[in-house]
PDB file of all heavy atoms in Angstrom:
ATOM      1  N   VAL A 225     -22.293  -7.665  94.558  1.00 89.00           N
ATOM      2  CA  VAL A 225     -21.295  -8.684  94.851  1.00 89.00           C
ATOM      3  C   VAL A 225     -19.900  -8.085  94.760  1.00 89.00           C
ATOM      4  O   VAL A 225     -19.555  -7.470  93.758  1.00 89.00           O
ATOM      5  CB  VAL A 225     -21.397  -9.855  93.850  1.00 89.00           C
ATOM      6  CG1 VAL A 225     -20.465 -10.972  94.261  1.00 89.00           C
ATOM      7  CG2 VAL A 225     -22.815 -10.350  93.758  1.00 89.00           C
ATOM      8  N   GLY A 226     -19.115  -8.264  95.781  1.00 87.00           N
ATOM      9  CA  GLY A 226     -17.748  -7.768  95.728  1.00 87.00           C
ATOM     10  C   GLY A 226     -17.078  -7.874  97.075  1.00 87.00           C
ATOM     11  O   GLY A 226     -17.744  -8.042  98.098  1.00 87.00           O
ATOM     12  N   PRO A 227     -15.752  -7.752  97.085  1.00 86.00           N
ATOM     13  CA  PRO A 227     -15.012  -7.878  98.345  1.00 86.00           C
ATOM     14  C   PRO A 227     -15.355  -6.754  99.326  1.00 86.00           C
ATOM     15  O   PRO A 227     -15.921  -5.733  98.924  1.00 86.00           O
ATOM     16  CB  PRO A 227     -13.544  -7.806  97.909  1.00 86.00           C
ATOM     17  CG  PRO A 227     -13.540  -7.399  96.493  1.00 86.00           C
ATOM     18  CD  PRO A 227     -14.882  -7.576  95.928  1.00 86.00           C
ATOM     19  N   PRO A 228     -15.036  -6.946 100.597  1.00 86.00           N
ATOM     20  CA  PRO A 228     -15.357  -5.940 101.603  1.00 86.00           C
ATOM     21  C   PRO A 228     -14.663  -4.602 101.319  1.00 86.00           C
ATOM     22  O   PRO A 228     -13.556  -4.584 100.775  1.00 86.00           O
ATOM     23  CB  PRO A 228     -14.848  -6.545 102.915  1.00 86.00           C
ATOM     24  CG  PRO A 228     -14.198  -7.819 102.584  1.00 86.00           C
ATOM     25  CD  PRO A 228     -14.404  -8.136 101.163  1.00 86.00           C
ATOM     26  N   GLY A 229     -15.334  -3.539 101.662  1.00 88.00           N
ATOM     27  CA  GLY A 229     -14.712  -2.222 101.558  1.00 88.00           C
ATOM     28  C   GLY A 229     -14.689  -1.635 100.169  1.00 88.00           C
ATOM     29  O   GLY A 229     -14.056  -0.618  99.930  1.00 88.00           O
ATOM     30  N   THR A 230     -15.384  -2.252  99.239  1.00 89.00           N
ATOM     31  CA  THR A 230     -15.345  -1.727  97.882  1.00 89.00           C
ATOM     32  C   THR A 230     -16.484  -0.753  97.606  1.00 89.00           C
ATOM     33  O   THR A 230     -16.639  -0.299  96.478  1.00 89.00           O
ATOM     34  CB  THR A 230     -15.418  -2.863  96.848  1.00 89.00           C
ATOM     35  OG1 THR A 230     -16.409  -3.793  97.262  1.00 89.00           O
ATOM     36  CG2 THR A 230     -14.094  -3.555  96.729  1.00 89.00           C
ATOM     37  N   GLY A 231     -17.275  -0.464  98.614  1.00 90.00           N
ATOM     38  CA  GLY A 231     -18.277   0.577  98.441  1.00 90.00           C
ATOM     39  C   GLY A 231     -19.675   0.078  98.156  1.00 90.00           C
ATOM     40  O   GLY A 231     -20.484   0.805  97.597  1.00 90.00           O
ATOM     41  N   LYS A 232     -19.993  -1.150  98.581  1.00 91.00           N
ATOM     42  CA  LYS A 232     -21.334  -1.669  98.334  1.00 91.00           C
ATOM     43  C   LYS A 232     -22.365  -0.909  99.165  1.00 91.00           C
ATOM     44  O   LYS A 232     -23.392  -0.482  98.652  1.00 91.00           O
ATOM     45  CB  LYS A 232     -21.385  -3.168  98.644  1.00 91.00           C
ATOM     46  CG  LYS A 232     -20.465  -3.977  97.747  1.00 91.00           C
ATOM     47  CD  LYS A 232     -20.556  -5.456  98.003  1.00 91.00           C
ATOM     48  CE  LYS A 232     -20.002  -5.869  99.344  1.00 91.00           C
ATOM     49  NZ  LYS A 232     -18.569  -5.639  99.496  1.00 91.00           N
ATOM     50  N   THR A 233     -22.057  -0.754 100.451  1.00 89.00           N
ATOM     51  CA  THR A 233     -22.955   0.008 101.315  1.00 89.00           C
ATOM     52  C   THR A 233     -23.091   1.436 100.807  1.00 89.00           C
ATOM     53  O   THR A 233     -24.186   2.003 100.746  1.00 89.00           O
ATOM     54  CB  THR A 233     -22.416   0.028 102.752  1.00 89.00           C
ATOM     55  OG1 THR A 233     -22.036  -1.291 103.111  1.00 89.00           O
ATOM     56  CG2 THR A 233     -23.450   0.540 103.712  1.00 89.00           C
ATOM     57  N   LEU A 234     -21.948   1.977 100.435  1.00 90.00           N
ATOM     58  CA  LEU A 234     -21.917   3.352  99.943  1.00 90.00           C
ATOM     59  C   LEU A 234     -22.804   3.504  98.711  1.00 90.00           C
ATOM     60  O   LEU A 234     -23.579   4.460  98.593  1.00 90.00           O
ATOM     61  CB  LEU A 234     -20.468   3.699  99.603  1.00 90.00           C
ATOM     62  CG  LEU A 234     -20.147   5.149  99.285  1.00 90.00           C
ATOM     63  CD1 LEU A 234     -20.260   5.985 100.538  1.00 90.00           C
ATOM     64  CD2 LEU A 234     -18.758   5.258  98.695  1.00 90.00           C
ATOM     65  N   LEU A 235     -22.711   2.545  97.816  1.00 91.00           N
ATOM     66  CA  LEU A 235     -23.496   2.584  96.586  1.00 91.00           C
ATOM     67  C   LEU A 235     -24.993   2.517  96.907  1.00 91.00           C
ATOM     68  O   LEU A 235     -25.787   3.298  96.383  1.00 91.00           O
ATOM     69  CB  LEU A 235     -23.095   1.416  95.677  1.00 91.00           C
ATOM     70  CG  LEU A 235     -23.649   1.423  94.266  1.00 91.00           C
ATOM     71  CD1 LEU A 235     -23.070   2.584  93.484  1.00 91.00           C
ATOM     72  CD2 LEU A 235     -23.337   0.112  93.556  1.00 91.00           C
ATOM     73  N   ALA A 236     -25.355   1.593  97.785  1.00 89.00           N
ATOM     74  CA  ALA A 236     -26.762   1.453  98.159  1.00 89.00           C
ATOM     75  C   ALA A 236     -27.279   2.747  98.778  1.00 89.00           C
ATOM     76  O   ALA A 236     -28.374   3.219  98.470  1.00 89.00           O
ATOM     77  CB  ALA A 236     -26.926   0.291  99.128  1.00 89.00           C
ATOM     78  N   LYS A 237     -26.449   3.314  99.660  1.00 88.00           N
ATOM     79  CA  LYS A 237     -26.841   4.553 100.315  1.00 88.00           C
ATOM     80  C   LYS A 237     -27.009   5.676  99.306  1.00 88.00           C
ATOM     81  O   LYS A 237     -27.912   6.506  99.421  1.00 88.00           O
ATOM     82  CB  LYS A 237     -25.750   4.936 101.320  1.00 88.00           C
ATOM     83  CG  LYS A 237     -26.266   5.070 102.736  1.00 88.00           C
ATOM     84  CD  LYS A 237     -25.152   5.580 103.620  1.00 88.00           C
ATOM     85  CE  LYS A 237     -25.147   4.832 104.917  1.00 88.00           C
ATOM     86  NZ  LYS A 237     -24.064   5.232 105.803  1.00 88.00           N
ATOM     87  N   SER A 238     -26.121   5.684  98.328  1.00 89.00           N
ATOM     88  CA  SER A 238     -26.189   6.774  97.363  1.00 89.00           C
ATOM     89  C   SER A 238     -27.407   6.631  96.458  1.00 89.00           C
ATOM     90  O   SER A 238     -27.944   7.624  95.993  1.00 89.00           O
ATOM     91  CB  SER A 238     -24.902   6.848  96.539  1.00 89.00           C
ATOM     92  OG  SER A 238     -24.852   5.782  95.627  1.00 89.00           O
ATOM     93  N   VAL A 239     -27.836   5.398  96.254  1.00 88.00           N
ATOM     94  CA  VAL A 239     -29.072   5.205  95.490  1.00 88.00           C
ATOM     95  C   VAL A 239     -30.232   5.849  96.238  1.00 88.00           C
ATOM     96  O   VAL A 239     -31.030   6.601  95.670  1.00 88.00           O
ATOM     97  CB  VAL A 239     -29.357   3.703  95.252  1.00 88.00           C
ATOM     98  CG1 VAL A 239     -30.748   3.503  94.705  1.00 88.00           C
ATOM     99  CG2 VAL A 239     -28.332   3.118  94.309  1.00 88.00           C
ATOM    100  N   ALA A 240     -30.282   5.568  97.541  1.00 87.00           N
ATOM    101  CA  ALA A 240     -31.334   6.174  98.357  1.00 87.00           C
ATOM    102  C   ALA A 240     -31.200   7.686  98.356  1.00 87.00           C
ATOM    103  O   ALA A 240     -32.198   8.413  98.298  1.00 87.00           O
ATOM    104  CB  ALA A 240     -31.272   5.627  99.780  1.00 87.00           C
ATOM    105  N   GLY A 241     -29.957   8.158  98.416  1.00 87.00           N
ATOM    106  CA  GLY A 241     -29.708   9.597  98.456  1.00 87.00           C
ATOM    107  C   GLY A 241     -30.129  10.272  97.161  1.00 87.00           C
ATOM    108  O   GLY A 241     -30.776  11.323  97.172  1.00 87.00           O
ATOM    109  N   GLU A 242     -29.777   9.658  96.055  1.00 87.00           N
ATOM    110  CA  GLU A 242     -30.129  10.235  94.759  1.00 87.00           C
ATOM    111  C   GLU A 242     -31.640  10.284  94.586  1.00 87.00           C
ATOM    112  O   GLU A 242     -32.181  11.233  94.051  1.00 87.00           O
ATOM    113  CB  GLU A 242     -29.520   9.409  93.627  1.00 87.00           C
ATOM    114  CG  GLU A 242     -28.016   9.537  93.472  1.00 87.00           C
ATOM    115  CD  GLU A 242     -27.611  10.860  92.820  1.00 87.00           C
ATOM    116  OE1 GLU A 242     -28.400  11.385  92.020  1.00 87.00           O
ATOM    117  OE2 GLU A 242     -26.513  11.358  93.134  1.00 87.00           O
ATOM    118  N   ALA A 243     -32.305   9.222  95.042  1.00 86.00           N
ATOM    119  CA  ALA A 243     -33.746   9.155  94.850  1.00 86.00           C
ATOM    120  C   ALA A 243     -34.496   9.873  95.958  1.00 86.00           C
ATOM    121  O   ALA A 243     -35.704  10.027  95.892  1.00 86.00           O
ATOM    122  CB  ALA A 243     -34.191   7.699  94.793  1.00 86.00           C
ATOM    123  N   ASN A 244     -33.733  10.257  96.990  1.00 85.00           N
ATOM    124  CA  ASN A 244     -34.339  10.964  98.111  1.00 85.00           C
ATOM    125  C   ASN A 244     -35.401  10.136  98.832  1.00 85.00           C
ATOM    126  O   ASN A 244     -36.484  10.610  99.138  1.00 85.00           O
ATOM    127  CB  ASN A 244     -34.964  12.265  97.621  1.00 85.00           C
ATOM    128  CG  ASN A 244     -34.662  13.381  98.594  1.00 85.00           C
ATOM    129  OD1 ASN A 244     -34.260  13.100  99.732  1.00 85.00           O
ATOM    130  ND2 ASN A 244     -34.848  14.608  98.179  1.00 85.00           N
ATOM    131  N   VAL A 245     -35.076   8.890  99.083  1.00 86.00           N
ATOM    132  CA  VAL A 245     -36.004   8.025  99.812  1.00 86.00           C
ATOM    133  C   VAL A 245     -35.311   7.499 101.059  1.00 86.00           C
ATOM    134  O   VAL A 245     -34.088   7.519 101.153  1.00 86.00           O
ATOM    135  CB  VAL A 245     -36.453   6.827  98.935  1.00 86.00           C
ATOM    136  CG1 VAL A 245     -37.213   7.310  97.723  1.00 86.00           C
ATOM    137  CG2 VAL A 245     -35.283   5.961  98.553  1.00 86.00           C
ATOM    138  N   PRO A 246     -36.091   7.032 102.051  1.00 86.00           N
ATOM    139  CA  PRO A 246     -35.477   6.484 103.264  1.00 86.00           C
ATOM    140  C   PRO A 246     -34.676   5.216 102.971  1.00 86.00           C
ATOM    141  O   PRO A 246     -34.941   4.518 101.991  1.00 86.00           O
ATOM    142  CB  PRO A 246     -36.665   6.158 104.168  1.00 86.00           C
ATOM    143  CG  PRO A 246     -37.817   6.858 103.588  1.00 86.00           C
ATOM    144  CD  PRO A 246     -37.550   7.063 102.143  1.00 86.00           C
ATOM    145  N   PHE A 247     -33.758   4.941 103.855  1.00 85.00           N
ATOM    146  CA  PHE A 247     -32.803   3.859 103.633  1.00 85.00           C
ATOM    147  C   PHE A 247     -32.722   3.022 104.901  1.00 85.00           C
ATOM    148  O   PHE A 247     -32.295   3.507 105.947  1.00 85.00           O
ATOM    149  CB  PHE A 247     -31.452   4.501 103.306  1.00 85.00           C
ATOM    150  CG  PHE A 247     -30.328   3.540 103.102  1.00 85.00           C
ATOM    151  CD1 PHE A 247     -30.229   2.803 101.941  1.00 85.00           C
ATOM    152  CD2 PHE A 247     -29.346   3.392 104.066  1.00 85.00           C
ATOM    153  CE1 PHE A 247     -29.172   1.944 101.740  1.00 85.00           C
ATOM    154  CE2 PHE A 247     -28.285   2.528 103.873  1.00 85.00           C
ATOM    155  CZ  PHE A 247     -28.202   1.805 102.713  1.00 85.00           C
TER     156      PHE A 247
END
Side-chain angles (χ1 to χ4, degrees):
V225 186
T230 44
K232 297 183 292 296
T233 313
L234 190 70
L235 189 67
K237 238 186 223 178
S238 73
V239 169
E242 288 284 330
N244 222 344
V245 297
F247 178 75

